[in-house]
Amino acid sequence: MSGAEVKRTPFFKILIANRGEIALRIMRSARRLGYGVVAVYSDADRDALHVREADSAVRIGEALPAQSYLNIDTIIAAAKTSGAGAVHPGYGFLAENEDFAQACRDAGLVFIGPSPEAIRAMGNKAGAKDIMQKVGVPCVPGYQGADQSDAAMLTEAKAIGFPVMIKAVAGGGGRGMRLVADAAAFPDALRSARSEAQGAFGDPTVILERAIVDPRHIEIQVFGDRHGNAIHLGERDCSVQRRHQKLIEEAPSPAVTPELRARMGAVAVQAVNAIGYEGAGTLEFLLDRDGHFYFMEMNTRLQVEHPVTEAITGLDLVELQLRVARGEPLGLTQEDISFSGHAIEVRLCSEDACHDFMPQSGRMARWQMPDGIRVEHALQSGSEIPPFYDSMIAKVISHGATRDEARGRLICALEQVMAFGVTTNQGFLIDCLRHPVFARGEATTAFIGTNRDALLAPSADRGSDIALAALLLYVTHPDAPLWRRGRSLSATFPLGLRIDLGHGVQEIEICRERDGSYVAARNGDRFGFEIDELGEDHIRFRHDGLMDSAKFLRDGDRLFVLHRGVTLTVRDLTLAPPESAAAAGGDGKVRAAMNGRVVAVLVKAGDQVAAGQPVMTLEAMKMEHVHTAGVAGTVSAIDVAEGEQVTTGKIVVEIEAAA
């Protein structure tokens, strides 16, 4: 398109077709440039922070994404009703949906992203690989044919050779993706991948790829405009993942040399030019041990991890998106792009790393983020985390002159994160950042799988942390003797406490000595504490000759404690009746492990099942979780139906144990 043909597209108000932290992030840049902002919300997000922070907000439907954030007609209507002239899709949901981009165009709205044609060309993994191969970009060998039958897919997988990757052609974020080790596991993995892809993107089509062993996941940030300009902003290393979803991202990559960066960047810009791409995009590659890289896919949107690129380039990527969408030239050449220091981002997720990263939902009783570091979030104390959306609740981003400096700052910041009420991966992230393999810059996509036991192992201070939690339960109890600093008139008799930290009941005795100190006895170990200060939400104490402190929140019979980056949730069961082992499935009842939606009932009444056999699949926070039989026997009842939303602990399947 010639300069005479290029048209500027003015708009003055932007509807953000997304939720949570990315909605707030877009608002920040939009307002700085003088735009009004409109939020949309589902019933689950009625009181969400992004709704209250916007100039105006429009309800778009019920809680499930398909009934709200994926409803194109309703979102277009919301834009028209609010007077918005442009729509920013954020990431996820409809961000890479060509029908949504086309609907915006047809409605006379500016879609702040690439054209529908570009999304169609590159948003589909199979089509994108075809384009890349035609322009000479190396791609992973695989199958992306039209025959999607079970038999054909298994035949192709065998031809490629195991292990293979199953990937949904639409969307991203690890949904609809499965690593399959052998032919026997292939049918179940294929079914699960298709089901997850259908639920997340409305398209069950998948492709197959040869699994590259222990690669790095490297992505190149690109930008193009309608004037024919295209640049890259360097790479990000996103190798630390669980369930094929990124947890830690950094820029630059410890594995990428300036020469390799130039080669990968040139390939990425070549791809952008090949399709006349406009706006922000990311080309994702696998980098093997020998320095060979293979194209995986292109994300035709802003990435979750864009802040690390902003940190090392000094650019505002959302601002660039808005300027390109308005018809302005990028105003940058490749020579203008320079990199300063190192940046690392972690994704704080509401999930339990010790229970296979099971997603968690509920009320965040206390939420406080660290000062002096960039944090992207949309929560506050009392916020509800619904079970319908992604488990990521915040991003914490550090920047330093060196990688070690950035890593140290990030660890320090994470140790100060106060997230009481919903279990998060806070401690797991700290352990990842501290691990020698990550510290040396050697982490591949196998990092978590290879080092899982070490990363999840109890810390050396586990015993003293439990003792500290028990002490806080004792001294903050409404009926406890009033704490006063100094000597006690007399020692107290040991008081037995029964507490639950989510992984089994602990028996602990607490007593106060004549010198005013406390002793917590557990499993034959004795832990001594001297309290120097006890406030409403903090304690300062001495233990083993060391002055230390912790933050806490007492909420009825529950206590939340933050100590050196470790968050403990403790329940006081001292006066509660003993709990049965029913929750483990020993009574033949399979209970929902989280709030979620039933996506597959794998058995029917009368079926014979073995202990450990899959019987039900729930979807929570965009991921599927298989539930298994706790005992061998006969299925006596199915208590839910596919599509039903269930709460944690609800009985979903009943099994009559075999005699």
Side-chain angles (χ1 to χ4, degrees):
M1 185 178 288
S2 69
E5 295 174 309
V6 173
K7 294 182 180 180
R8 296 291 180 91
T9 311
F11 50 86
F12 308 98
K13 185 183 291 186
I14 301 169
L15 180 136
I16 302 169
N18 218 295
R19 64 183 298 276
E21 60 87 18
I22 185 56
L24 290 176
R25 163 70 189 92
I26 295 165
M27 287 181 197
R28 190 167 66 243
S29 289
R31 281 181 165 145
R32 184 170 56 78
L33 295 176
Y35 295 108
V37 290
V38 180
V40 294
Y41 64 93
S42 69
D43 288 345
D45 282 337
R46 179 183 180 88
D47 298 318
L49 194 58
H50 79 274
V51 176
R52 296 202 299 274
E53 289 293 317
D55 299 327
S56 58
V58 183
R59 177 188 178 272
I60 53 171
E62 298 177 19
L64 290 175
Q67 300 165 345
S68 50
Y69 296 105
L70 294 175
N71 190 324
I72 293 175
D73 292 341
T74 302
I75 292 175
I76 296 296
K80 289 292 190 180
T81 299
S82 66
V87 175
H88 196 307
Y91 42 67
F93 295 129
L94 295 171
E96 295 179 278
N97 187 304
E98 64 266 28
D99 293 334
F100 183 49
Q102 185 65 52
C104 289
R105 176 189 285 176
D106 294 343
L109 300 166
V110 174
F111 180 76
I112 302 173
S115 66
E117 294 78 14
I119 296 175
R120 188 173 299 112
M122 299 301 284
N124 181 287
K125 292 181 178 67
K129 286 184 68 175
D130 283 339
I131 293 172
M132 292 297 99
Q133 288 171 338
K134 289 175 182 176
V135 297
V137 177
C139 296
V140 180
Y143 171 74
Q144 51 203 58
D147 189 345
Q148 292 277 306
S149 67
D150 290 2
M153 297 297 279
L154 180 57
T155 298
E156 294 294 339
K158 290 178 178 178
I160 294 167
F162 289 94
V164 298
M165 291 295 301
I166 302 173
K167 290 185 176 181
V169 299
R175 282 96 189 180
M177 185 182 295
R178 298 291 186 275
L179 174 62
V180 189
D182 53 48
F186 188 83
D188 284 344
L190 181 63
R191 183 212 62 78
S192 179
R194 284 172 169 164
S195 172
E196 196 169 86
Q198 176 66 44
F201 315 118
D203 184 352
T205 310
V206 297
I207 65 173
L208 305 177
E209 288 182 349
R210 178 191 299 161
I212 307 298
V213 179
D214 294 352
R216 297 265 192 166
H217 184 141
I218 307 294
E219 60 188 29
I220 305 291
Q221 175 72 60
V222 294
F223 257 95
D225 64 24
R226 67 185 66 172
H227 301 265
N229 304 306
I231 60 172
H232 73 83
L233 304 181
E235 84 283 355
R236 296 183 288 256
D237 193 318
C238 309
S239 299
V240 179
Q241 306 175 4
R242 54 92 179 90
R243 290 203 186 105
H244 309 296
Q245 287 187 300
K246 304 163 187 172
L247 278 185
I248 303 177
E249 303 102 345
E250 59 183 307
S253 167
V256 174
T257 63
E259 184 274 335
L260 181 56
R261 180 177 303 117
R263 283 198 291 128
M264 296 182 75
V267 164
V269 170
Q270 183 179 346
V272 170
N273 287 326
I275 60 171
Y277 190 86
E278 298 175 16
T282 303
L283 280 85
E284 304 204 359
F285 299 91
L286 293 178
L287 177 67
D288 70 17
R289 296 170 179 173
D290 299 321
H292 301 123
F293 60 91
Y294 303 91
F295 172 80
M296 289 194 301
E297 62 185 2
M298 183 176 186
N299 296 128
T300 54
R301 54 169 167 81
L302 194 69
Q303 292 278 79
V304 173
E305 57 272 20
H306 74 273
V308 295
T309 297
E310 293 183 326
I312 66 168
T313 62
L315 299 172
D316 182 332
L317 271 58
V318 175
E319 176 181 343
L320 286 178
Q321 283 188 296
L322 299 179
R323 295 192 183 281
V324 168
R326 200 164 56 189
E328 297 180 15
L330 276 171
L332 295 167
T333 66
Q334 197 62 57
E335 291 70 29
D336 295 325
I337 306 304
S338 61
F339 307 106
S340 174
H342 200 98
I344 309 176
E345 171 184 294
V346 294
R347 302 189 187 191
L348 187 69
C349 300
S350 53
E351 62 186 24
D352 188 346
C354 293
H355 283 88
D356 197 27
F357 303 100
M358 189 79 71
Q360 306 290 302
S361 55
R363 177 177 172 271
M364 190 63 76
R366 178 72 56 81
W367 177 257
Q368 184 176 318
M369 294 295 99
D371 296 325
I373 199 165
R374 180 173 176 178
V375 183
E376 301 286 351
H377 70 96
L379 295 177
Q380 57 188 7
S381 295
S383 291
E384 288 288 336
I385 298 176
F388 312 104
Y389 314 117
D390 194 273
S391 64
M392 188 186 76
I393 55 177
K395 304 181 306 195
V396 187
I397 307 101
S398 68
H399 182 230
T402 65
R403 185 174 186 269
D404 276 344
E405 183 178 307
R407 188 174 66 91
R409 287 180 176 176
L410 191 51
I411 292 171
C412 184
L414 280 171
E415 288 181 335
Q416 301 172 53
V417 166
M418 194 182 303
F420 291 163
V422 179
T423 301
T424 75
N425 62 344
Q426 174 185 7
F428 183 78
L429 292 172
I430 293 172
D431 290 340
C432 287
L433 293 170
R434 284 177 172 158
H435 195 281
V437 171
F438 184 85
R440 293 193 301 266
E442 298 173 356
T444 68
T445 56
F447 171 73
I448 288 179
T450 302
N451 300 287
R452 186 183 183 113
D453 290 346
L455 293 170
L456 295 176
S459 70
D461 297 325
R462 176 74 173 176
S464 61
D465 283 340
I466 293 173
L468 173 62
L471 173 64
L472 280 167
L473 270 178
Y474 174 75
V475 297
T476 61
H477 193 281
D479 297 329
L482 183 64
W483 173 81
R484 290 185 178 88
R485 185 172 182 174
R487 296 179 62 84
S488 175
L489 294 177
S490 61
T492 61
F493 289 106
L495 174 67
L497 296 179
R498 188 158 53 94
I499 64 175
D500 179 17
L501 292 94
H503 306 290
V505 176
Q506 307 276 338
E507 302 283 350
I508 299 180
E509 286 188 340
I510 304 289
C511 67
R512 190 172 189 187
E513 304 291 301
R514 288 184 180 276
D515 63 3
S517 66
Y518 292 84
V519 173
R522 169 181 173 266
N523 296 338
D525 295 325
R526 291 170 60 85
F527 303 90
F529 298 93
E530 297 177 51
I531 299 178
D532 278 14
E533 180 183 349
L534 181 63
E536 291 185 357
D537 63 356
H538 68 278
I539 183 173
R540 185 171 294 279
F541 61 93
R542 300 174 193 270
H543 172 62
D544 287 342
L546 177 69
M547 174 70 79
D548 208 344
S549 63
K551 296 288 187 70
F552 66 88
L553 173 68
R554 180 82 190 225
D555 183 15
D557 66 350
R558 293 195 306 170
L559 178 79
F560 306 102
V561 185
L562 172 63
H563 181 228
R564 298 181 184 174
V566 176
T567 297
L568 295 179
T569 301
V570 191
R571 278 199 307 150
D572 188 353
L573 302 179
T574 305
L575 301 180
E579 295 183 346
S580 72
D587 60 351
K589 293 179 172 59
V590 181
R591 294 170 171 80
M594 79 290 285
N595 296 338
R597 184 170 63 93
V598 178
V599 295
V601 179
L602 306 176
V603 293
K604 60 183 183 296
D607 283 356
Q608 299 294 312
V609 296
Q613 179 178 330
V615 296
M616 180 81 59
T617 303
L618 295 184
E619 180 188 62
M621 293 182 167
K622 299 186 179 180
M623 296 298 292
E624 289 192 349
H625 304 271
V626 177
H627 287 51
T628 60
V631 297
T634 304
V635 176
S636 58
I638 306 294
D639 298 299
V640 293
E642 289 190 8
E644 183 177 342
Q645 190 73 27
V646 299
T647 57
T648 302
K650 177 178 171 57
I651 296 170
V652 293
V653 175
E654 297 179 54
I655 301 167
E656 184 177 338

